Amino acid sequence: MLRTDLHITLPDWVAQTVDVAIAYPDDAGKVALAVELSRRNAESRSGGPFGAVVFGPDHRPLAAGVNCVVPLHNSLAHAEILALMLAQRQLRIPRLNTAMHPITLATSSQPCCQCFGATVWAGIDRLLIGARGDDVIALAGFDEGPLPSDWIGELNRRGIEVVRDLHRDAACDVLRAYRRHDGALY
């Protein structure tokens, strides 16, 4: 029989780590939360070393995600994708910034090619990044896929502001530790 259901549940500790009542008014604090999620995910071996949080205009988290590719057996279960899906479900709208703006996506690492596209289609106004794509490749060994050579310019032309290198050292530390502990590559 063809399966027609899909159920995704994040690790329980995610809800304990992200308090939706707390505002994160500065960009560094937003990315620090995403990096903390990536660290906890890698240390608990509940997925890859990536975390993401979607914030509303009040600087409070709308949704959070961690990488669950291996435990869910799903190549699409990246932290950004799961955070965006949960935010869309929360707001009951596929393009988040039509409900409110600005919508900010904070990521522990630069989005891969899949998450780059999702950032555009999900209605993100601001993208905050910890580690760079080159860090992800060099330190953890992941294949991030092809991005446009001027990917930041492409996002900017679509009205998405990009801020990089927030807590980059801490995000890189998570990537190094993941590789050092033989984390799964996919």
Side-chain angles (χ1 to χ4, degrees):
M1 177 185 280
L2 178 68
R3 292 212 52 180
T4 58
D5 64 317
L6 177 64
H7 182 78
I8 297 172
T9 302
L10 296 178
D12 291 338
W13 58 260
V14 173
Q16 297 162 0
T17 304
V18 180
D19 185 343
V20 297
I22 296 175
Y24 295 81
D26 64 15
D27 292 347
K30 290 176 175 78
V31 172
L33 180 58
V35 171
E36 175 62 13
L37 289 170
S38 72
R39 183 190 65 73
R40 293 228 21 215
N41 204 41
E43 286 179 358
S44 67
R45 296 205 175 260
S46 50
F50 305 101
V53 184
V54 177
F55 292 89
D58 64 356
H59 305 287
R60 296 180 199 287
L62 292 171
V66 293
N67 180 286
C68 294
V69 168
V70 172
L72 293 177
H73 313 289
N74 188 319
S75 63
L76 304 178
H78 290 201
E80 296 92 335
I81 299 298
L82 297 180
L84 293 169
M85 288 172 61
L86 288 166
Q88 290 164 332
R89 182 172 151 207
Q90 172 78 11
L91 296 179
R92 303 179 66 95
I93 191 163
R95 191 158 180 89
L96 298 169
N97 62 4
T98 59
M100 60 178 73
H101 63 84
I103 298 292
T104 301
L105 174 61
T107 64
S108 61
S109 297
Q110 177 181 309
C112 68
C113 61
Q114 169 187 260
C115 298
F116 168 84
T119 299
V120 172
W121 302 127
I124 297 300
D125 299 302
R126 304 185 70 237
L127 174 61
L128 310 177
I129 301 168
R132 292 185 178 212
D134 291 342
D135 300 331
V136 174
I137 294 165
L139 300 175
F142 286 96
D143 177 359
E144 294 298 275
L147 285 176
S149 59
D150 183 23
W151 65 272
I152 294 175
E154 290 293 331
L155 292 177
N156 290 162
R157 282 186 281 287
R158 292 174 176 267
I160 302 169
E161 176 189 2
V162 177
V163 180
R164 298 195 301 172
D165 300 335
L166 297 164
H167 292 286
R168 183 178 181 189
D169 290 340
C172 286
D173 287 344
V174 173
L175 297 169
R176 279 187 204 93
Y178 186 79
R179 187 162 198 176
R180 189 171 51 251
H181 293 102
D182 297 320
L185 294 179
Y186 38 84

